[in-house]
Amino acid sequence: DAGVIQSPRHEVTEMGQEVTLRCKPISGHDYLFWYRQTMMRGLELLIYFNNNVPIDDSGMPEDRFSAKMPNASFSTLKIQPSEPRDSAVYFCASSAGQGTTDTQYFGPGTRLTVL
Amino acid sequence: ILNVEQSPQSLHVQEGDSTNFTCSFPSSNFYALHWYRWETAKSPEALFVMTLNGDEKKKGRISATLNTKEGYSYLYIKGSQPEDSATYLCARIRSNTGKLIFGQGTTLQVKP
């Protein structure tokens, strides 16, 4: 398996522009997680899905952020409009289950820079 | 302790040194603790999942122990090598939802 795939790997955009990050989870994994990594807050969970349904979006910072999972093999995280403070590395992860011992497998991340 | 705390924040050691760092977490309502290794420009990789008090896990030169009663876990690296240079993250499971709450990590630099 190729692991979790994310695109793009790097994104530079200007403030106010729409940004879409993409993720393909590991085949057969029912859970998908979106994280954001910043120096100030570390690695924080934004939202997660189970069988394509959003379960907990309490970590989504504000209405400018939205996430979808139209099918089992694809998810998007969209920021509209983007702001400089959204600059961070965004990770997608997937797991086979939601048990306390289920390992989450992380993608390579998308480094977002908003100018 | 309300969240996951890791210390030290960074560590520089010489090749061959053994080292250890700490992960502290709330001892109440403990479900599991995960350790991840995160190399620069790569994605975090799972090292260990620990659930039982007194648990000890080992993978090569890296081992970890768990004390759920006092709320801490230690990660040990024996005979550090330059390829061990990475950020080591621990994360506790929040309730039984599978949500991981990460610490800020300990960044290890091993000098040849």
Side-chain angles (χ1 to χ4, degrees), chain A residues 1-7 9 22-29 31-35 69 72-75 90-96 103-110, chain B residues 42-44:
Chain A
D1 198 313
V4 176
I5 298 172
Q6 289 187 249
S7 65
R9 294 292 304 275
R22 297 172 177 80
C23 174
K24 176 179 167 53
I26 293 173
S27 177
H29 280 189
Y31 290 85
L32 184 140
F33 305 81
W34 281 102
Y35 290 90
M69 193 165 184
S73 60
F74 184 65
S75 177
Y90 291 81
F91 286 98
C92 175
S94 70
S95 68
T103 295
Q104 293 183 20
Y105 296 86
F106 284 76
T110 294
Chain B
K42 295 186 178 180
S43 51

Side-chain angles (χ1 to χ4, degrees), chain B residues 11 13-16 80-85 108-112:
Chain B
L11 198 54
V13 301
Q14 290 293 132
E15 182 176 354
S80 303
Q81 299 297 309
E83 57 265 30
D84 295 329
S85 298
L108 173 68
Q109 186 70 38
V110 182
K111 299 177 183 178

Side-chain angles (χ1 to χ4, degrees), chain A residues 42 56 91 98 100 103-104 107, chain B residues 34 36 38 43 46 97 99 104:
Chain A
D56 187 337
F91 286 98
Q98 199 189 10
T100 57
T103 295
Q104 293 183 20
Chain B
H34 294 232
Y36 281 81
W38 188 5
S43 51
T97 64
K99 289 175 63 172
Q104 292 276 38

Side-chain angles (χ1 to χ4, degrees), chain B residues 8-59:
Chain B
Q9 186 174 359
S10 64
L11 198 54
H12 292 77
V13 301
Q14 290 293 132
E15 182 176 354
D17 287 350
S18 293
T19 187
N20 67 86
F21 21 93
T22 306
C23 172
S24 302
F25 50 86
S27 56
S28 59
N29 299 318
F30 177 82
Y31 288 86
L33 189 81
H34 294 232
W35 278 101
Y36 281 81
R37 180 173 179 273
W38 188 5
E39 288 184 69
T40 303
K42 295 186 178 180
S43 51
E45 293 183 7
L47 279 174
F48 306 115
V49 179
M50 310 180 78
T51 57
L52 300 175
N53 185 45
D55 222 358
E56 185 169 343
K57 302 272 186 174
K58 188 175 181 181
K59 183 181 290 187

Side-chain angles (χ1 to χ4, degrees), chain B residues 1 3-7 20-28 30 33 35 50 52-55 64-76 90:
Chain B
I1 296 175
N3 294 310
V4 179
E5 297 176 2
Q6 293 188 246
S7 64
N20 67 86
F21 21 93
T22 306
C23 172
S24 302
F25 50 86
S27 56
S28 59
F30 177 82
L33 189 81
W35 278 101
M50 310 180 78
L52 300 175
N53 185 45
D55 222 358
T65 60
L66 179 67
N67 183 323
T68 61
K69 295 186 185 304
E70 297 183 37
Y72 65 84
S73 175
Y74 293 140
L75 189 80
Y76 299 91
C90 69

